[in-house]
Amino acid sequence: MAQQLSEAQLFDSCACRTFAAKVAARIAAGDRLEVVVAAARTVWWHETSVAGWLEAFGAHPRIGDAATLKAKLGGFADMSRHEQAAASNAPEEIFQELAEWNRRYEAKFGHVFLISAAGKSAQQILASLKARYE
């Protein structure tokens, strides 16, 4: 059984006010994880607007952006820091190229590049970014 998640905790995990409020209203202390995940999926895919998605996307630090990860505390910054750990030992040139491609991606799509970075090298992330850009 899961502990009750507060709206603030849900916001910390997603950074979308609508999502946090609606999920918090649907779940109760003691709900099984499957129930919480099902509520979150329903709210995210069927009740969160594009503006809500963009609100959440905007909270994600850019891949490889060490300065932003260090400046933000808690929530996405801590999760992203751990997720991007495998890529953190890449050469500086890779980080510069990631920064450039991140700028291009944001200019083209209007939001940061999102990827599950866990276990991926900086080179793999960069290759994915370039592929998705095309």
Side-chain angles (χ1 to χ4, degrees):
M1 288 195 283
Q3 294 180 357
Q4 177 65 36
L5 295 171
S6 70
E7 188 172 329
Q9 289 170 311
L10 289 161
F11 181 80
D12 281 347
S13 72
C14 182
C16 174
R17 286 170 183 73
T18 301
F19 172 85
K22 288 185 175 186
V23 173
R26 287 182 179 213
I27 61 174
D31 279 349
R32 293 186 338 267
L33 179 60
E34 296 82 14
V35 172
V36 175
V37 170
R41 283 185 178 145
T42 297
V43 169
W44 182 254
W45 292 114
H46 302 289
E47 299 177 27
T48 302
S49 67
V50 171
W53 293 346
L54 293 174
E55 178 185 14
F57 296 169
H60 279 276
R62 289 170 185 87
I63 294 288
D65 185 354
T68 300
L69 285 172
K70 289 176 186 172
K72 289 185 175 184
L73 300 173
F76 275 129
D78 287 341
M79 287 185 274
S80 295
R81 185 178 300 112
H82 295 296
E83 185 179 25
Q84 295 182 30
S88 65
N89 59 359
E92 183 60 32
E93 305 83 54
I94 296 293
F95 285 108
Q96 290 172 0
E97 195 172 359
L98 272 169
E100 173 58 30
W101 278 92
N102 272 315
R103 284 190 289 276
R104 290 181 190 185
Y105 188 93
E106 284 185 63
K108 182 174 181 177
F109 297 108
H111 59 80
V112 298
F113 171 71
L114 298 172
I115 187 170
S116 176
K120 291 181 177 68
S121 70
Q123 292 86 347
Q124 290 170 314
I125 293 168
L126 180 59
S128 294
L129 195 163
K130 288 178 177 180
R132 199 177 306 165
Y133 180 87
E134 300 304 324

